[in-house]
Amino acid sequence: MDVAGGEERGTTERVLTLLGLLQQRQVWTGPELADRLGVTPRTVRRDVERLRTLGYLVHASQGVGGGYQLGPGQDLPPLLLDDEEAIATAVSLLSGAGGALAGAGDAALRALTKLDRVLPTRLRHEVRALSASVESFGGGGRRLVDPKVLMTLARACRDEVEAGFAYPSGNEVRGRRVEPYRLVASDRRWYLLAYDLDRDDWRSFRVDRMTDVSARTRRFRPRAAPDAAAYVQEGVASRVYPHRARFLVHASAETVRAQIPASAAVVQQRGKELCEVLSGAGSLDFVLMHVLLLGHDFEVLDPPELGRRCRVLAERLLSAGAGISPGPDTEES
């Protein structure tokens, strides 16, 4: 019989139980903890030292109202959750990820993926059942994607296994086989960057347009991939449109990004007060109008026909205003 091994397991279980108790309430006295753990106060002190060695900041104070208190540390140590806490956390993360809340959806999904790795099988069924009853109202939390679909794709990305789904293409829905790489949140939508095995190229897919999503068992070796966020943003802002245009805008990238949604254009800094804007639309006039309304001086970089279109429209605007006499100049007092 491995007595030493049994003692070590017993000590580990007792220290984890102690950690769970310290996380449950603000302050515990030594005798209270000893009574809960069925050990002596001296053993409690030793176990507290073990927690400190693992990175947990445990304060000890004497006198009336004193005792042991778990404090915040410099790093984030492992968090111990009981079954109910784990279920509540997972359901909350499912709701946040599915709704793609501003700036929080991707973080919620990353946290949920980590939790899913260690969540016992017996709890996954409860999480799935509870998540179906989570609803939101109001614009900020509107659910756009089934969280179970997000989790299926997140697991496939993590485990490096092929994924399959049905996706609209023109007037029909076709099956797609992909090597999933990253999930990307943009505004309130989710996109999957994946290598399309049938088209032999990288593609981005809107998750809310997918149906019959499944993770396969076939594993793949990750390929050299483009920057996920940049690739998806460029695709959403310009690549999917029949007309694309580039402009040099006389304003900082920070200023222009505040004026244009990330899903409408790619904005890159080109100098202290210069930036390049890449956007697309159904017509070049539409793109030109939006850049004009930003209120900054700009130059057309591409395509050449857009420069010619600028001159035509400028002459038309001058002609439209030629019959109106300019009013007297007014000066601010």
Side-chain angles (χ1 to χ4, degrees), residues 100-108 110 185 187:
L101 302 177
D106 52 350
R110 290 198 305 271
D187 295 331

Side-chain angles (χ1 to χ4, degrees), residues 260 264 279 281 284-295 298:
I260 306 177
S279 187
L284 290 176
D285 284 358
F286 188 82
V287 181
L288 185 60
M289 177 191 70
H290 277 274
V291 175
L292 177 65
L293 292 177
L294 292 176
F298 66 93

Side-chain angles (χ1 to χ4, degrees), residues 6-254:
E7 291 178 352
E8 183 177 349
R9 284 193 299 273
T11 300
T12 301
E13 292 172 1
R14 190 180 64 247
V15 171
L16 289 174
T17 302
L18 172 61
L19 175 60
L21 292 172
L22 291 172
Q23 290 176 341
Q24 286 179 14
R25 81 183 199 197
Q26 190 76 3
V27 179
W28 290 85
T29 67
E32 285 176 330
L33 290 173
D35 182 63
R36 285 295 190 98
L37 297 172
V39 296
T40 65
R42 183 179 180 182
T43 300
V44 170
R45 290 194 294 272
R46 290 176 177 173
D47 289 347
V48 166
E49 286 302 320
R50 291 186 176 98
L51 287 177
R52 288 169 176 163
T53 302
L54 293 172
Y56 294 93
L57 186 61
V58 183
H59 300 291
S61 56
Q62 303 293 328
V64 178
Y68 294 102
Q69 180 180 11
L70 188 63
Q74 294 181 346
D75 300 316
L76 184 65
L79 183 65
L80 191 64
L81 300 175
D82 61 27
D83 285 6
E84 291 184 358
E85 292 167 339
I87 291 172
T89 301
V91 171
S92 298
L93 291 171
L94 280 167
S95 179
L101 302 177
D106 52 350
L109 184 60
R110 290 198 305 271
L112 183 57
T113 305
K114 292 178 182 178
L115 183 60
D116 175 71
R117 185 188 293 272
V118 297
L119 200 64
T121 302
R122 70 177 188 278
L123 298 184
R124 289 182 180 174
H125 300 296
E126 295 188 53
V127 170
R128 188 175 299 115
L130 285 172
S131 66
S133 66
V134 176
E135 297 290 344
S136 301
F137 64 90
R142 184 164 58 91
R143 185 186 297 259
L144 297 178
V145 179
D146 185 343
K148 290 184 289 185
V149 171
L150 277 179
M151 280 306 304
T152 298
L153 295 172
R155 290 192 196 107
C157 291
R158 180 194 68 194
D159 299 337
E160 297 174 354
V161 295
E162 292 181 10
F165 50 86
Y167 199 76
S169 178
N171 296 324
E172 59 181 341
V173 176
R174 298 179 181 177
R176 310 296 280 264
R177 297 184 310 118
V178 302
E179 295 175 354
Y181 178 63
R182 289 288 187 275
L183 282 163
V184 178
S186 175
D187 295 331
R188 297 194 319 178
R189 297 195 185 281
W190 282 95
Y191 297 85
L192 173 69
L193 174 63
Y195 192 85
D196 193 317
L197 294 171
D198 295 322
R199 289 156 179 79
D200 198 26
D201 199 3
W202 290 97
R203 292 285 190 275
S204 61
F205 304 91
R206 265 179 52 177
V207 177
D208 60 304
R209 291 180 175 173
M210 297 178 180
T211 54
D212 300 326
V213 180
S214 63
R216 310 285 176 81
T217 56
R218 182 182 180 86
R219 297 182 61 86
F220 63 87
R221 185 185 298 275
R223 307 169 187 264
D227 180 271
Y231 184 94
V232 171
Q233 185 191 10
E234 184 176 346
V236 171
S238 66
R239 197 183 301 119
V240 297
Y241 294 103
H243 298 284
R244 304 170 66 190
R246 289 190 307 123
F247 304 89
L248 184 66
V249 179
H250 292 239
S252 68
E254 181 180 2

Side-chain angles (χ1 to χ4, degrees), residues 302-315:
D302 195 58
E305 60 265 29
L306 187 54
R308 294 189 290 270
R309 188 63 183 162
C310 285
R311 289 189 289 271
V312 171
L313 293 177
E315 292 174 359

